Amino acid sequence: MREITAAVARGPGTHAVERVTLDDPEPDEVLVDVRATGVCHTDYHAYTSDDTDFPVVLGHESAGVVEAVGDQVRTVEPGDRVVLWVLPTCGDCEHCASGRPYLCQARRDTRGRMPDGTRRLSRDGAPIDHFYAQSSFASMAVVPERQVVPVDDDLPFAIGALLGCGASTGLGAVSNVAGVESGETVAVFGCGGVGASAILAASAISAGEIVAVDIDADTLETMRELGATRTVDASAEDPVDAIDAALGGVDYALECIGSPATVAQSIASLRPGGTAVVTGTSATDPAELDLGRFTSGISVVGNIVGFTRPRVDIPRYAAMYANGDLDLDALLTHRYDVTELDEAFDALDAGDGIRGVVEFTPGA
């Protein structure tokens, strides 16, 4: 075991940077020296929720360097640069066996724990919960081998962290979930980290018209720089009417917010035979849908982390970045120290910027 630095949340909206104990990795686990961790709405929701079990170390999209491995680990070794993937998987269920690990339900069985039901984090003997079997708002993390993806040494840690969840969710929404092809039209509702990544992906495959829908003028201008061919300020006009007037609907509508209103708008913006991809998960209220729309052959599909196959898709996205086909640097608008986590959450809640990362000094 060793002492590490971690942001420990001890109640809704309350945390402190503390020295805590991290146990050594079990035989099928990897100890990673964390260098960068993305700041995601999923962390923020857990941080501010009364439903979260505290204390907990949050953080679930990270990149770093392998420090040590358990004796059953075969895919990485100390010194490897790695991305830490968000979702725990069992490796044995029908979904894992069929190449659809994003459908594995193991993540539901790991709340606050590692897959074996135990914890590796503690302070003065008192256990601290994990988050997505990762807990990477910390200088080091113990992670199951299946969540550790080796990448080239020249991939920046901050970019690798984005690929651990948010960016891959948006990129995969276009390439894996929707299967957008060159020339097809796309509307993206909500242009945070996931939506901006979707616009990058749509531009990379030469989609036809790419419509960015948001309520922030600066964000919309940034989306044009990333590849959007049209923008709609949803605070000033109805996006469904605007899309219909300009294009007669779109082939694909990618909903990246999770509000009942934007889910309904994304479906209403489709042309006959179109597909809505719903990514946002924050809403609890039902959406009011025009069921008559389904008589025009439309489809609605839920997006789980971009249907990502981590060891296939993350290296593919990293190669596209290295080749200049994906400007992932444009997504990274804020960098923070772990002592600035509250500032990072405040910026996220305010919609300030696209994506931020918490960076760690090696050996901290």
Side-chain angles (χ1 to χ4, degrees):
M1 63 180 62
R2 66 202 67 218
E3 296 297 305
I4 66 168
T5 299
V8 183
R10 294 196 173 274
T14 302
H15 86 279
V17 177
E18 304 177 14
R19 295 294 287 179
V20 302
T21 299
L22 179 66
D23 291 343
D24 294 332
E26 292 297 312
D28 60 348
E29 295 174 346
V30 179
L31 174 67
V32 175
D33 185 358
V34 174
R35 303 296 176 84
T37 301
V39 183
C40 178
H41 279 95
T42 302
D43 296 300
Y44 181 71
H45 290 316
Y47 180 55
T48 56
S49 174
D50 291 329
D51 189 49
T52 300
D53 295 326
F54 296 100
V56 61
V57 174
L58 302 172
H60 69 278
E61 52 176 46
S62 179
V65 176
V66 174
E67 179 78 9
V69 299
D71 58 19
Q72 295 177 7
V73 172
R74 298 291 180 265
T75 58
V76 294
E77 59 186 26
D80 285 351
R81 185 171 299 217
V82 293
V83 168
L84 303 187
W85 179 240
V86 54
L87 291 186
T89 56
C90 70
D92 297 321
C93 69
E94 61 178 313
H95 303 302
C96 289
S98 64
R100 299 180 296 170
Y102 45 86
L103 295 179
C104 179
Q105 297 302 296
R107 67 183 184 276
R108 302 188 184 279
D109 300 326
T110 56
R111 176 167 173 159
R113 304 291 192 274
M114 299 298 284
D116 65 1
T118 63
R119 289 172 285 199
R120 308 281 175 274
L121 292 163
S122 62
R123 182 174 182 181
D124 298 330
I128 298 171
D129 273 9
H130 293 269
F131 195 60
Y132 284 95
Q134 185 177 141
S135 293
S136 53
F137 284 145
S139 57
M140 286 191 170
V142 167
V143 187
E145 181 184 11
R146 281 189 294 272
Q147 287 176 250
V148 180
V149 181
V151 293
D152 288 342
D153 286 342
D154 57 359
L155 181 69
F157 291 113
I159 299 301
L162 300 186
L163 291 175
C165 178
S168 292
T169 298
L171 297 171
V174 173
S175 61
N176 295 341
V177 184
V180 179
E181 296 185 358
S182 176
E184 294 184 311
T185 54
V186 178
V188 177
F189 289 76
C191 299
V194 173
S197 300
I199 286 173
L200 281 179
S203 179
I205 55 92
S206 299
E209 295 278 6
I210 304 171
V211 185
V213 181
D214 205 277
I215 58 173
D216 184 82
D218 291 338
T219 296
L220 291 172
E221 181 58 35
T222 300
M223 293 309 106
R224 282 194 175 274
E225 296 171 4
L226 297 186
T229 60
R230 295 177 182 269
T231 59
V232 177
D233 184 345
S235 68
E237 59 182 326
D238 184 281
V240 177
D241 291 343
I243 291 170
D244 182 65
L247 303 173
V250 290
D251 297 309
Y252 297 96
L254 311 180
E255 194 283 327
C256 302
I257 300 174
S259 76
T262 51
V263 170
Q265 288 170 349
S266 66
I267 294 171
S269 70
L270 296 173
R271 62 179 49 170
T275 298
V277 176
V278 178
T279 303
T281 59
S282 60
T284 56
D285 297 328
E288 294 185 7
L289 305 179
D290 176 6
L291 298 182
R293 295 280 294 133
F294 289 91
T295 63
S296 64
I298 66 166
S299 302
V300 180
V301 59
N303 175 21
I304 306 171
V305 295
F307 287 9
T308 299
R309 301 151 297 171
R311 291 177 183 260
V312 174
D313 293 316
I314 289 176
R316 176 165 64 94
Y317 299 146
M320 293 176 69
Y321 167 79
N323 293 336
D325 296 324
L326 283 176
D327 184 14
L328 297 175
D329 290 312
L331 304 179
L332 185 57
T333 53
H334 294 80
R335 296 173 185 264
Y336 304 95
D337 183 78
V338 68
T339 60
E340 301 170 314
L341 187 57
D342 271 334
E343 179 183 337
F345 280 145
D346 288 344
L348 184 73
D349 186 44
D352 178 12
I354 299 176
R355 205 64 164 182
V357 297
V358 171
E359 297 182 303
F360 294 86
T361 302

